[in-house]
Amino acid sequence: MIKGKISEIFESIQGEGLFIGERHLFVRFYGCNLTCKFCDTQLNHFEEYEPQQLFEIIQQRRNGSTCVVFTGGEPLLQVAFLKEVAGRTKKTGFKNYLETNGSMPEALEEVIEHMDIVAMDLKLPTSTGMHGFFKAHKRFLEIAMRKDCFLKTVVCLSTEESDIDEMIRLFRENRIHATVVLQPNSQELSIRLFKKIDRFKNRLLDEGIATCMIPQLHKIIGVP
Ligand code: SF4
């Protein structure tokens, strides 16, 4: 039987993105395929579960939550396991919410039928310190837009205007209809960073792209 590696299971308020403030049950998958320079996710340990075991824990801990968030790390690295668990939660009436770095479109294709919400990180090279993922993001979004989908992109002091140009091109050339959440790097909160985000936001709005700025609430108020 397939087993999944899970780092944490906890209930909290959603601290990011368009569903900020809602009570969600979080399942943090172990492991990530990227190395974003601003990453502060602690993935030092994991427990192994069979799909049915994890499903039963989710049911026990739901405490009124109707939405289960599969987060990471990168949940799509364990797509066969994710599919098994998400199939069970969906059947029971949970809303399935996937938080993903948007780099694995083939894996998304395998689970999209079970997802209700896809929150995709758009990885800007001058934010992450890695190469761009625009090609993978394009294919990923084509699949994700079958469901309720929005984008989050972390903006750092190092983020350059050229990445925003590339993002606008991605939207224009592929008829993408999804809201963009610009998320200030929590380690660099400052007037300088907010001014930069405001400039980027106005550029995206001028292009007809629905855009807002939302900081990571859970880090500000100190909840997991
Ligand atoms: S994709 Fe997310 S978990 Fe992975 S390195 Fe980047 S910020 Fe960290």
Side-chain angles (χ1 to χ4, degrees):
M1 172 56 85
I2 185 167
K3 284 193 172 185
K5 294 179 178 174
I6 301 298
S7 289
E8 287 181 283
I9 306 162
F10 60 99
E11 213 210 11
S12 188
I13 58 158
Q14 177 57 258
E16 302 181 352
L18 295 183
F19 296 84
I20 194 162
E22 285 189 9
R23 182 153 287 280
H24 289 167
L25 184 74
F26 294 81
V27 178
R28 188 179 302 287
F29 280 56
Y30 178 79
C32 188
N33 56 331
L34 304 188
T35 52
C36 307
K37 73 172 188 205
F38 50 76
C39 182
D40 56 3
T41 305
Q42 304 282 336
L43 292 173
N44 307 321
H45 66 279
F46 61 83
E47 299 276 341
E48 286 195 304
Y49 300 99
E50 290 182 358
Q52 182 63 24
Q53 275 180 307
L54 180 57
F55 170 63
E56 284 168 15
I57 294 171
I58 289 170
Q59 280 190 309
Q60 284 158 16
R61 299 208 191 157
R62 68 186 300 175
N63 192 28
S65 299
T66 54
C67 183
V68 57
V69 180
F70 300 105
T71 188
E74 175 49 62
L76 291 174
L77 280 176
Q78 304 183 61
V79 68
F81 176 76
L82 173 62
K83 192 174 178 177
E84 289 289 326
V85 179
R88 286 166 167 82
T89 49
K90 188 149 178 84
K91 260 191 212 151
T92 329
F94 273 102
K95 197 179 268 187
N96 285 337
Y97 180 138
L98 177 66
E99 291 189 330
T100 166
N101 61 35
S103 68
M104 301 179 68
E106 292 78 15
L108 179 67
E109 185 71 78
E110 288 185 45
V111 288
I112 192 69
E113 64 178 302
H114 297 311
M115 294 303 156
D116 297 289
I117 302 164
V118 179
M120 187 200 100
D121 288 352
L122 194 145
K123 297 294 188 187
L124 301 178
T126 55
S127 296
T128 62
M130 290 182 295
H131 64 79
F133 290 89
F134 288 101
K135 255 191 174 166
H137 287 337
K138 168 185 174 316
R139 177 76 190 108
F140 199 97
L141 283 165
E142 283 167 3
I143 302 164
M145 283 193 302
R146 293 179 208 156
K147 298 299 174 92
D148 196 352
C149 159
F150 71 94
L151 307 176
K152 284 182 294 173
T153 194
V154 174
V155 180
C156 305
L157 289 172
S158 61
T159 309
E160 291 179 8
E161 204 87 30
S162 57
D163 279 354
I164 304 303
D165 297 339
E166 197 68 30
M167 200 167 149
I168 290 170
R169 210 167 301 132
L170 175 76
F171 269 73
R172 265 200 206 140
E173 292 175 2
N174 302 288
R175 296 168 181 246
I176 289 166
H177 302 289
T179 299
V180 174
V181 176
L182 298 175
Q183 188 171 288
N185 177 4
S186 296
Q187 298 157 47
E188 294 180 325
L189 295 182
S190 58
I191 299 286
R192 202 172 132 218
L193 185 59
F194 282 109
K195 281 188 174 165
K196 174 182 263 197
I197 292 176
D198 205 44
R199 198 171 69 242
F200 290 169
K201 186 181 76 179
N202 288 335
R203 278 204 62 199
L204 292 162
L205 287 171
D206 285 348
E207 293 289 335
I209 301 169
T211 309
C212 56
M213 188 276 288
I214 305 178
Q216 289 181 299
L217 177 69
H218 55 297
K219 292 192 182 157
I220 296 171
I221 64 173
V223 297

